Amino acid sequence: TGRKKLHTAPVGQVFRLRPFHVLVATGGGYAGYRKYEDYKLEQLEKRGIEVPVKLASEWEVALYKSVPTRLLSRAWGRLNQVELPTWLRKPVYSLYIWTFGVNMKEAAVEDLHHYRNLSEFFRRKLKPQVRPVCCVHSVISPSDGKILNFGQVKNCEVEQVKGVTYSLESFLGPRISTEEMHFSQTPPGNSFQQQLVTKEGNELYHCVIYLAPGDYHCFHSPTDWTVSHRRHFPGSLMSVNPGVARWIKELFCHNERVVLTGDWKHGFFSLTAVGATNVGSIRIYFDQDLHTNSPSYSKGSYNDFSFISNNKEGIPMRKGEHLGEFNLGSTIVLIFEAPKDFKFNLKAGQKIRFGEALGSL
């Protein structure tokens, strides 16, 4: 009897914990497998071989979501805040620089011993002269990164990568009332896309920029505009690298994101910072009330904040002005209206740096 009691108690505890362990191990293993598949796809693309689109099924997305990426991202964020001993800083940062191809010659402070922790290193500032802001074109790149897709928005669907789309309304959320925007009249339209276009003859455009871990992690204002409203969507923190964006439909709608909306000289303008694995922290410099990757959140919810009610004129932003930052790297999505003769000076897959031209009239 004594031996039976001795052995059954630990076994019972193991069985109570086993479902969680299996879920995490299975989800983590599958995420690792997807990383390997992404690597193979990248190699094919480098060789010029076109890769057919293969979307994830519902169970695959659910399995990926079972990985506690929000918890892991918060843990990673705390780890980033740990101050490293001076003797350890150069080896750690040098390994990161070698792995992700970071160009430290562009950094305002090149001495690696200056950065007390990983968070400071990720958020390093650049020398002013290395990112000149284009004065000729009306819209510039808000960040360093890779162009995943761009073009006109059609049928209320936006392409996150070629052939894989997401719903415009699901991404931005319900239409913000015109009282919170500088323009008061919106032409009547049947679709969500038509409701965003405020001037007759204009079209809606989009551009998706992916920030890799080695990129400069701050983002800036892409044009002269006024920010009127902020909408924060808590959500998952799945990877947003091009391979996953090609695999999961509406990936950007699943993930946590901060949508800034307002207007520029041609009407509606929005910039969305999309969170990702290990990038639960999204900071907007002028918005001290924003707190991302909170431990408790309601799935499918969002919270709004109007800058018109607290500042009658909204938040004016100049082209190239500092706007916010990620803690590691993620994705910026621009959605804006412009006249029909607006042209992008881009090609999909190209590398771009902050300050370079995206497009102009």
Side-chain angles (χ1 to χ4, degrees), residues 50-65:
E50 187 172 349
V51 181
V53 174
K54 184 181 179 182
L55 294 177
S57 61
E58 290 185 10
W59 72 266
E60 287 178 307
V61 175
L63 186 58
Y64 192 179
K65 282 187 171 183

Side-chain angles (χ1 to χ4, degrees), residues 178-194:
T178 54
E179 287 76 10
E180 296 186 42
M181 311 298 278
H182 279 251
F183 37 84
S184 58
Q185 297 296 322
T186 302
N190 297 323
S191 70
F192 182 80
Q193 178 178 337
Q194 291 172 323

Side-chain angles (χ1 to χ4, degrees), residues 183-239:
F183 37 84
S184 58
Q185 297 296 322
T186 302
N190 297 323
S191 70
F192 182 80
Q193 178 178 337
Q194 291 172 323
Q195 292 174 28
L196 294 180
V197 178
T198 64
K199 297 181 180 180
E200 188 176 353
N202 280 2
E203 297 287 349
L204 206 61
Y205 297 86
H206 74 100
C207 182
V208 183
I209 305 170
Y210 166 68
L211 288 74
D215 287 328
Y216 167 57
H217 297 331
C218 297
F219 50 93
H220 300 246
S221 176
T223 192
D224 296 334
W225 65 307
T226 300
V227 183
S228 304
H229 187 273
R230 179 258 291 162
R231 176 169 285 162
H232 172 216
F233 290 86
S236 301
L237 288 173
M238 295 184 283
S239 172

Side-chain angles (χ1 to χ4, degrees), residues 4-245:
K4 185 177 181 181
K5 289 181 179 178
L6 179 66
H7 290 293
T8 54
V11 169
Q13 292 175 5
V14 170
F15 274 106
R16 283 196 296 272
L17 294 174
R18 181 171 292 176
F20 175 76
H21 289 162
V22 171
L23 194 64
V24 172
T26 305
Y30 193 77
Y33 165 74
R34 288 306 314 173
K35 287 284 188 182
Y36 174 68
E37 290 292 307
D38 295 341
Y39 171 77
K40 291 198 299 183
L41 290 176
E42 287 178 6
Q43 296 306 307
L44 290 174
E45 287 182 343
K46 287 180 180 178
R47 291 160 55 186
I49 301 174
E50 187 172 349
V51 181
V53 174
K54 184 181 179 182
L55 294 177
S57 61
E58 290 185 10
W59 72 266
E60 287 178 307
V61 175
L63 186 58
Y64 192 179
K65 282 187 171 183
S66 71
V67 181
T69 52
R70 293 179 62 85
L71 177 62
L72 292 172
S73 297
R74 286 194 294 274
W76 175 254
R78 292 194 177 186
L79 179 63
N80 287 349
Q81 299 293 334
V82 175
E83 185 170 342
L84 298 176
T86 305
W87 62 268
L88 188 58
R89 294 174 188 176
K90 188 171 183 179
V92 170
Y93 301 147
S94 295
L95 177 62
Y96 187 91
I97 290 168
W98 177 79
T99 303
F100 297 107
V102 178
N103 184 1
M104 283 303 294
K105 291 183 179 179
E106 296 180 335
V109 179
E110 296 184 39
D111 182 11
L112 298 180
H113 296 101
H114 169 80
Y115 303 100
R116 294 173 298 177
N117 51 49
L118 283 166
S119 182
E120 286 189 2
F121 178 73
F122 293 147
R123 295 180 288 107
R124 64 193 178 276
K125 305 303 180 186
L126 298 180
K127 297 171 183 174
Q129 65 272 20
V130 300
R131 293 292 188 275
V133 174
C134 177
C135 298
V136 177
H137 293 79
S138 54
V139 184
I140 62 168
S141 176
S143 66
D144 289 6
K146 179 181 180 180
I147 301 295
L148 294 190
N149 216 304
F150 63 92
Q152 282 191 20
V153 177
K154 298 179 180 179
N155 302 319
C156 296
E157 291 281 323
V158 186
E159 283 193 317
Q160 57 194 30
V161 295
K162 185 177 180 181
V164 183
T165 63
Y166 57 93
S167 163
L168 181 64
E169 186 168 7
S170 297
F171 181 69
L172 295 178
R175 177 77 169 100
I176 300 166
S177 63
T178 54
E179 287 76 10
E180 296 186 42
M181 311 298 278
H182 279 251
F183 37 84
S184 58
Q185 297 296 322
T186 302
N190 297 323
S191 70
F192 182 80
Q193 178 178 337
Q194 291 172 323
Q195 292 174 28
L196 294 180
V197 178
T198 64
K199 297 181 180 180
E200 188 176 353
N202 280 2
E203 297 287 349
L204 206 61
Y205 297 86
H206 74 100
C207 182
V208 183
I209 305 170
Y210 166 68
L211 288 74
D215 287 328
Y216 167 57
H217 297 331
C218 297
F219 50 93
H220 300 246
S221 176
T223 192
D224 296 334
W225 65 307
T226 300
V227 183
S228 304
H229 187 273
R230 179 258 291 162
R231 176 169 285 162
H232 172 216
F233 290 86
S236 301
L237 288 173
M238 295 184 283
S239 172
V240 293
N241 73 52
V244 177

